[in-house]
Amino acid sequence: MKMKCVLTIAGSDSSGGAGIQADIKTISAHRLYAESVITAVTAQNTLGVQAVFPLPPDVVAAQLDSVCSDIFPDAVKIGMLATAEIAETVALKLEQYHVHHVVLDPVLVSTSGRLLLDTDAVRILTDRLFPLAELITPNLDEAAVLHDALTRTDCAVLVKGGHSPDSADDVLYESGRLLSCCASESRGIHTFPGVRIANKNTHGTGCTLSSAAACRLAQGYTLEESVLLAKQYVTGAIAAGLTVGYGRGPLDQFWKM
């Protein structure tokens, strides 16, 4: 039986709530084959991030070579990159192997406020990786920091509204350049209404959404369909009400099962 394959490039979360672990759960829940390239090892739990150890860039490169030379991915999700050297390595390898359906979640800061990407890496992210992406998925805070770079990109941008105090609506811009336009006057802008769920356990929401979108792109859905289905999946994962740990817990990626 041949399966579609989705590769996640991200950091490891020792608590299993976000990062590589959340991505693998999400990909598996979509009944696709999950592959992983780990960029950093983190010590974290529902209370916060206690330590971050970026892997050597050559180890990241070796992982990418191993995956892409044998089980070529049908889609790629990029999460935490940690350093400029790792970001550059990932960009070079994605170009080398001509990967497609790249969903980039620009992880800048953890939910608990820990910086997860250094300043030099942000420049590599915007200059080298944005042009390779089909979809970029910043939250409101990340979109504000990256606004100028996002408005220079032609790829699609999904601004996630989960951090908004008023709603949980997400907005998809078919081109980042539309971010500087008025939504009421521009085509190519789609709003996905969301209902705020009374559940504090949202650790790994961004990882799960971007991975779900990559899964749907791998399955052949359009960009708009992929975003809609990914949002519906994440909403269900939050509403499932999984409770583990003493802080902000994770979602239930297997809620449909």
Side-chain angles (χ1 to χ4, degrees), residues 158-192:
L158 178 68
V159 179
K160 301 173 294 190
H163 288 186
S164 170
D166 303 318
S167 73
D169 295 355
D170 298 343
V171 181
L172 174 66
Y173 301 84
E174 291 182 3
S175 169
R177 298 177 191 276
L178 293 174
L179 279 163
S180 59
C181 300
C182 175
S184 63
E185 299 175 357
S186 300
R187 294 183 180 181
I189 300 177
H190 311 276
T191 300
F192 300 89

Short mmCIF file of all heavy atoms in Angstrom, two decimals, residues 158-192:
data_model
loop_
_atom_site.label_atom_id
_atom_site.label_comp_id
_atom_site.label_asym_id
_atom_site.label_seq_id
_atom_site.Cartn_x
_atom_site.Cartn_y
_atom_site.Cartn_z
N LEU A 158 -1.54 32.75 6.02
CA LEU A 158 -2.69 32.55 6.89
C LEU A 158 -2.39 33.19 8.23
O LEU A 158 -1.53 32.72 8.98
CB LEU A 158 -2.98 31.06 7.08
CG LEU A 158 -4.14 30.74 8.03
CD1 LEU A 158 -5.48 31.17 7.42
CD2 LEU A 158 -4.16 29.26 8.39
N VAL A 159 -3.09 34.29 8.53
CA VAL A 159 -2.91 34.96 9.82
C VAL A 159 -3.90 34.35 10.80
O VAL A 159 -5.11 34.48 10.64
CB VAL A 159 -3.12 36.48 9.70
CG1 VAL A 159 -2.95 37.15 11.07
CG2 VAL A 159 -2.13 37.08 8.69
N LYS A 160 -3.36 33.69 11.82
CA LYS A 160 -4.20 32.97 12.79
C LYS A 160 -4.69 33.92 13.87
O LYS A 160 -3.92 34.68 14.43
CB LYS A 160 -3.41 31.82 13.41
CG LYS A 160 -2.91 30.81 12.37
CD LYS A 160 -1.98 29.78 12.98
CE LYS A 160 -0.69 30.37 13.48
NZ LYS A 160 0.32 29.36 13.85
N GLY A 161 -5.97 33.84 14.14
CA GLY A 161 -6.57 34.76 15.10
C GLY A 161 -6.77 34.21 16.49
O GLY A 161 -7.49 34.80 17.30
N GLY A 162 -6.14 33.09 16.78
CA GLY A 162 -6.35 32.46 18.09
C GLY A 162 -5.92 33.30 19.27
O GLY A 162 -6.42 33.12 20.38
N HIS A 163 -4.99 34.23 19.06
CA HIS A 163 -4.52 35.10 20.16
C HIS A 163 -5.38 36.34 20.31
O HIS A 163 -5.17 37.13 21.22
CB HIS A 163 -3.07 35.51 19.92
CG HIS A 163 -2.10 34.40 20.12
ND1 HIS A 163 -0.73 34.58 20.07
CD2 HIS A 163 -2.28 33.08 20.37
CE1 HIS A 163 -0.12 33.42 20.28
NE2 HIS A 163 -1.04 32.50 20.46
N SER A 164 -6.34 36.53 19.42
CA SER A 164 -7.21 37.69 19.50
C SER A 164 -8.18 37.53 20.68
O SER A 164 -8.75 36.45 20.89
CB SER A 164 -8.01 37.86 18.21
OG SER A 164 -9.01 38.83 18.35
N PRO A 165 -8.41 38.61 21.46
CA PRO A 165 -9.34 38.51 22.58
C PRO A 165 -10.80 38.49 22.15
O PRO A 165 -11.68 38.14 22.94
CB PRO A 165 -9.02 39.78 23.40
CG PRO A 165 -8.52 40.75 22.38
CD PRO A 165 -7.76 39.93 21.38
N ASP A 166 -11.05 38.87 20.91
CA ASP A 166 -12.43 39.04 20.46
C ASP A 166 -12.99 37.86 19.68
O ASP A 166 -14.19 37.58 19.75
CB ASP A 166 -12.54 40.31 19.60
CG ASP A 166 -12.06 41.54 20.33
OD1 ASP A 166 -12.40 41.67 21.53
OD2 ASP A 166 -11.36 42.36 19.71
N SER A 167 -12.16 37.19 18.88
CA SER A 167 -12.65 36.10 18.05
C SER A 167 -11.53 35.10 17.81
O SER A 167 -10.40 35.31 18.26
CB SER A 167 -13.16 36.64 16.71
OG SER A 167 -12.08 37.05 15.89
N ALA A 168 -11.87 34.05 17.09
CA ALA A 168 -10.86 33.06 16.71
C ALA A 168 -10.83 32.92 15.19
O ALA A 168 -10.53 31.86 14.66
CB ALA A 168 -11.16 31.72 17.37
N ASP A 169 -11.15 34.02 14.50
CA ASP A 169 -11.16 34.00 13.04
C ASP A 169 -9.75 33.97 12.49
O ASP A 169 -8.84 34.63 13.01
CB ASP A 169 -11.88 35.24 12.49
CG ASP A 169 -13.36 35.28 12.85
OD1 ASP A 169 -13.85 34.29 13.44
OD2 ASP A 169 -14.00 36.30 12.56
N ASP A 170 -9.54 33.21 11.41
CA ASP A 170 -8.28 33.20 10.68
C ASP A 170 -8.52 33.84 9.32
O ASP A 170 -9.62 33.73 8.75
CB ASP A 170 -7.77 31.77 10.47
CG ASP A 170 -7.48 31.06 11.79
OD1 ASP A 170 -7.35 31.75 12.81
OD2 ASP A 170 -7.37 29.82 11.77
N VAL A 171 -7.50 34.51 8.79
CA VAL A 171 -7.64 35.16 7.49
C VAL A 171 -6.55 34.67 6.56
O VAL A 171 -5.36 34.72 6.90
CB VAL A 171 -7.56 36.70 7.63
CG1 VAL A 171 -7.73 37.35 6.25
CG2 VAL A 171 -8.62 37.21 8.59
N LEU A 172 -6.95 34.17 5.39
CA LEU A 172 -6.02 33.68 4.39
C LEU A 172 -5.86 34.71 3.29
O LEU A 172 -6.83 35.13 2.66
CB LEU A 172 -6.53 32.37 3.79
CG LEU A 172 -5.73 31.80 2.61
CD1 LEU A 172 -4.34 31.38 3.06
CD2 LEU A 172 -6.47 30.62 1.96
N TYR A 173 -4.61 35.12 3.08
CA TYR A 173 -4.26 36.02 1.99
C TYR A 173 -3.56 35.18 0.93
O TYR A 173 -2.52 34.59 1.20
CB TYR A 173 -3.33 37.13 2.47
CG TYR A 173 -3.91 37.98 3.58
CD1 TYR A 173 -3.84 37.58 4.91
CD2 TYR A 173 -4.53 39.20 3.29
CE1 TYR A 173 -4.38 38.36 5.93
CE2 TYR A 173 -5.06 40.00 4.31
CZ TYR A 173 -4.99 39.56 5.62
OH TYR A 173 -5.52 40.34 6.62
N GLU A 174 -4.15 35.11 -0.27
CA GLU A 174 -3.56 34.28 -1.32
C GLU A 174 -2.16 34.75 -1.71
O GLU A 174 -1.35 33.97 -2.20
CB GLU A 174 -4.47 34.25 -2.54
CG GLU A 174 -5.77 33.49 -2.29
CD GLU A 174 -6.64 33.43 -3.53
OE1 GLU A 174 -6.21 33.93 -4.58
OE2 GLU A 174 -7.75 32.88 -3.43
N SER A 175 -1.86 36.01 -1.46
CA SER A 175 -0.52 36.57 -1.62
C SER A 175 -0.24 37.45 -0.42
O SER A 175 -1.11 38.20 0.03
CB SER A 175 -0.41 37.40 -2.90
OG SER A 175 0.80 38.13 -2.91
N GLY A 176 0.98 37.35 0.11
CA GLY A 176 1.33 38.17 1.27
C GLY A 176 1.19 39.66 0.98
O GLY A 176 0.95 40.46 1.89
N ARG A 177 1.32 40.02 -0.28
CA ARG A 177 1.22 41.44 -0.66
C ARG A 177 -0.15 42.02 -0.32
O ARG A 177 -0.29 43.23 -0.16
CB ARG A 177 1.52 41.60 -2.15
CG ARG A 177 2.93 41.17 -2.53
CD ARG A 177 3.18 41.27 -4.02
NE ARG A 177 4.43 40.62 -4.41
CZ ARG A 177 5.62 41.19 -4.34
NH1 ARG A 177 5.73 42.43 -3.92
NH2 ARG A 177 6.70 40.53 -4.70
N LEU A 178 -1.16 41.17 -0.22
CA LEU A 178 -2.51 41.63 0.09
C LEU A 178 -2.66 42.08 1.54
O LEU A 178 -3.66 42.68 1.90
CB LEU A 178 -3.52 40.51 -0.20
CG LEU A 178 -3.69 40.13 -1.67
CD1 LEU A 178 -4.60 38.91 -1.80
CD2 LEU A 178 -4.26 41.29 -2.47
N LEU A 179 -1.65 41.78 2.37
CA LEU A 179 -1.70 42.19 3.78
C LEU A 179 -1.77 43.70 3.93
O LEU A 179 -2.25 44.21 4.94
CB LEU A 179 -0.48 41.66 4.53
CG LEU A 179 -0.55 40.20 5.00
CD1 LEU A 179 0.83 39.69 5.33
CD2 LEU A 179 -1.46 40.09 6.21
N SER A 180 -1.29 44.42 2.94
CA SER A 180 -1.30 45.88 3.02
C SER A 180 -2.53 46.47 2.35
O SER A 180 -2.65 47.69 2.24
CB SER A 180 -0.03 46.45 2.36
OG SER A 180 0.05 46.04 1.01
N CYS A 181 -3.47 45.61 1.89
CA CYS A 181 -4.67 46.08 1.21
C CYS A 181 -5.88 46.02 2.14
O CYS A 181 -5.85 45.38 3.18
CB CYS A 181 -4.95 45.24 -0.03
SG CYS A 181 -3.62 45.27 -1.25
N CYS A 182 -6.93 46.68 1.73
CA CYS A 182 -8.17 46.64 2.49
C CYS A 182 -8.93 45.38 2.09
O CYS A 182 -9.20 45.16 0.91
CB CYS A 182 -9.02 47.88 2.19
SG CYS A 182 -10.64 47.84 2.97
N ALA A 183 -9.30 44.57 3.08
CA ALA A 183 -9.96 43.29 2.79
C ALA A 183 -11.25 43.48 2.02
O ALA A 183 -11.62 42.65 1.19
CB ALA A 183 -10.22 42.53 4.09
N SER A 184 -11.97 44.55 2.28
CA SER A 184 -13.26 44.76 1.64
C SER A 184 -13.10 45.13 0.17
O SER A 184 -14.06 45.09 -0.59
CB SER A 184 -14.03 45.87 2.37
OG SER A 184 -13.32 47.10 2.27
N GLU A 185 -11.89 45.50 -0.24
CA GLU A 185 -11.68 45.94 -1.61
C GLU A 185 -10.80 44.99 -2.41
O GLU A 185 -10.52 45.23 -3.58
CB GLU A 185 -11.03 47.33 -1.61
CG GLU A 185 -11.87 48.41 -0.94
CD GLU A 185 -11.14 49.73 -0.87
OE1 GLU A 185 -9.97 49.78 -1.29
OE2 GLU A 185 -11.73 50.71 -0.38
N SER A 186 -10.36 43.90 -1.80
CA SER A 186 -9.39 43.03 -2.47
C SER A 186 -9.92 41.62 -2.62
O SER A 186 -10.53 41.06 -1.71
CB SER A 186 -8.08 42.99 -1.66
OG SER A 186 -7.53 44.26 -1.56
N ARG A 187 -9.66 41.04 -3.78
CA ARG A 187 -9.92 39.63 -3.98
C ARG A 187 -8.72 38.85 -3.46
O ARG A 187 -7.65 39.40 -3.25
CB ARG A 187 -10.13 39.36 -5.46
CG ARG A 187 -11.39 40.00 -6.04
CD ARG A 187 -11.58 39.62 -7.49
NE ARG A 187 -12.77 40.22 -8.05
CZ ARG A 187 -13.19 40.05 -9.29
NH1 ARG A 187 -12.49 39.28 -10.12
NH2 ARG A 187 -14.30 40.63 -9.71
N GLY A 188 -8.93 37.57 -3.27
CA GLY A 188 -7.84 36.74 -2.79
C GLY A 188 -7.68 36.76 -1.29
O GLY A 188 -6.65 36.34 -0.77
N ILE A 189 -8.68 37.26 -0.57
CA ILE A 189 -8.66 37.27 0.89
C ILE A 189 -9.87 36.48 1.38
O ILE A 189 -11.00 36.76 1.01
CB ILE A 189 -8.68 38.70 1.45
CG1 ILE A 189 -7.46 39.47 0.96
CG2 ILE A 189 -8.72 38.68 2.98
CD1 ILE A 189 -7.43 40.92 1.41
N HIS A 190 -9.62 35.47 2.22
CA HIS A 190 -10.68 34.59 2.69
C HIS A 190 -10.67 34.53 4.22
O HIS A 190 -9.62 34.31 4.82
CB HIS A 190 -10.50 33.17 2.14
CG HIS A 190 -10.26 33.14 0.66
ND1 HIS A 190 -11.27 33.17 -0.27
CD2 HIS A 190 -9.10 33.10 -0.06
CE1 HIS A 190 -10.77 33.14 -1.48
NE2 HIS A 190 -9.44 33.09 -1.39
N THR A 191 -11.82 34.73 4.83
CA THR A 191 -11.93 34.67 6.28
C THR A 191 -12.56 33.35 6.70
O THR A 191 -13.57 32.92 6.13
CB THR A 191 -12.79 35.83 6.82
OG1 THR A 191 -12.17 37.07 6.46
CG2 THR A 191 -12.91 35.77 8.34
N PHE A 192 -11.95 32.72 7.69
CA PHE A 192 -12.47 31.47 8.23
C PHE A 192 -12.92 31.73 9.66
O PHE A 192 -12.10 31.81 10.57
CB PHE A 192 -11.38 30.39 8.21
CG PHE A 192 -10.86 30.08 6.83
CD1 PHE A 192 -9.79 30.80 6.30
CD2 PHE A 192 -11.44 29.09 6.06
CE1 PHE A 192 -9.32 30.53 5.02
CE2 PHE A 192 -10.97 28.82 4.79
CZ PHE A 192 -9.91 29.53 4.27
#
